[in-house]
Amino acid sequence: MTINLTERQQRIIEIVKDNDPITSKEIAKQLNLSRGALRSDLSVLTMANILEAKPRVGYFYSRDNSYLRDFDELYGQKIKEIKSAAVVVKEEASVYDTIVTLFLKDIGSLFIIDQQESLIGVVSRKDLLKITIGEGDIKKMPVSVIMTRMPNIITVKDEDTILEAAKLIVKYKIDSLPVVKIEEGSAESDQQIYRVIGRVTKTNIARVFVDFGLKI
């Protein structure tokens, strides 16, 4: 998380660094501005823990705002550092076998692959629950019949960041994302292969933030 400071905010920081403690009236005087004009800038800088405000004393420069760098590192952390192992099933697998796999692995969704082991679909607990309520024979029905198909699957790569993955999960209201490595297909086919190399879930991301919170 990068905080983009304005030129005036950077100037305020320098004034406080050189003169703390210093009142807002004195800061305004040095900038040839009114105190009201500085109110929003000072609020931003105190909320960001760059400045500290003490009643009847004035503003101090915060000597410990290193946590801002920690946030940069947190949000910039790569998917490859937090991903879990993916569970995949072949497209010809039956709905019944897919349900068994999902519950044995205790996960919320499964990724479906074709004969080239390329990602072609995803199926969730909700998808499987819906089909079991119907009258079809789930032992004979292939899972490919009920899966969400490419290109309607949101994917991430190893080098994407945690923040990027979190934004996708929130935007599309999904529980997990397949982590893929894109490879070129065979000479006979011009289609790319989406090799599933992991998954990132709400739990993966929540665990990172909990661990981070325990450190600060």
Side-chain angles (χ1 to χ4, degrees):
M1 180 179 68
T2 302
I3 298 177
N4 296 315
L5 300 176
T6 66
E7 184 177 338
R8 187 162 74 188
Q9 288 166 351
Q10 291 172 344
R11 177 65 181 135
I12 291 170
I13 293 171
E14 292 305 317
I15 291 172
V16 176
K17 274 185 179 181
D18 294 338
N19 300 279
D20 64 356
I22 183 172
T23 65
S24 59
K25 181 178 180 180
E26 292 168 327
I27 296 171
K29 184 177 179 180
Q30 290 200 36
L31 292 173
N32 198 26
L33 295 169
S34 68
R35 293 172 65 187
L38 293 181
R39 189 171 293 117
S40 61
D41 292 313
L42 291 171
S43 295
V44 168
L45 295 173
T46 51
M47 284 190 293
N49 202 36
I50 296 173
L51 299 183
E52 295 179 44
K54 294 186 178 180
R56 299 190 182 89
V57 178
Y59 288 89
F60 294 79
Y61 177 69
S62 176
R63 265 65 184 178
D64 182 18
N65 53 24
S66 58
Y67 80 99
L68 294 174
R69 293 191 299 274
D70 293 337
F71 268 114
D72 283 340
E73 293 176 7
L74 172 68
Y75 288 123
Q77 195 170 346
K78 304 298 184 182
I79 293 300
K80 64 184 177 183
E81 300 174 43
I82 69 160
K83 68 183 180 183
S84 302
V87 180
V88 300
V89 295
K90 291 289 184 69
E91 59 182 320
E92 63 269 20
S94 70
V95 170
Y96 175 83
D97 289 337
T98 303
I99 292 172
V100 171
T101 301
L102 184 140
F103 280 97
L104 286 176
K105 297 295 184 179
D106 191 24
I107 54 177
S109 58
L110 289 166
F111 304 123
I112 316 302
I113 58 174
D114 62 13
Q115 295 301 319
Q116 297 184 81
E117 298 189 346
S118 180
L119 175 68
I120 59 169
V122 62
V123 64
S124 68
R125 288 184 184 223
K126 185 183 290 186
D127 296 325
L128 296 169
L129 178 60
K130 282 181 182 178
I131 199 64
T132 57
I133 295 174
E135 297 180 358
D137 186 346
I138 62 173
K139 289 190 176 181
K140 294 181 180 179
M141 183 185 299
V143 69
S144 57
V145 172
I146 66 167
M147 70 185 183
T148 298
R149 293 179 175 273
M150 292 287 275
N152 300 313
I153 301 173
I154 310 302
T155 65
V156 289
K157 303 181 185 69
D158 264 348
E159 294 304 316
D160 291 334
T161 66
I162 291 175
L163 182 58
E164 290 167 333
K167 285 180 177 179
L168 290 172
I169 285 174
V170 171
K171 179 178 179 179
Y172 293 100
K173 300 178 182 178
I174 50 183
D175 294 326
S176 66
L177 296 164
V179 184
V180 299
K181 179 181 180 183
I182 302 177
E183 302 174 354
E184 294 301 321
S186 62
E188 296 79 20
S189 172
D190 59 356
Q191 291 186 336
Q192 293 179 313
I193 294 175
Y194 284 73
R195 194 81 65 196
V196 182
I197 57 174
R199 66 188 173 104
V200 60
T201 68
K202 289 180 178 179
T203 301
N204 292 134
I205 294 173
R207 186 176 293 119
V208 171
F209 277 86
V210 169
D211 291 343
F212 175 77
L214 293 173
K215 293 177 183 177
I216 62 175

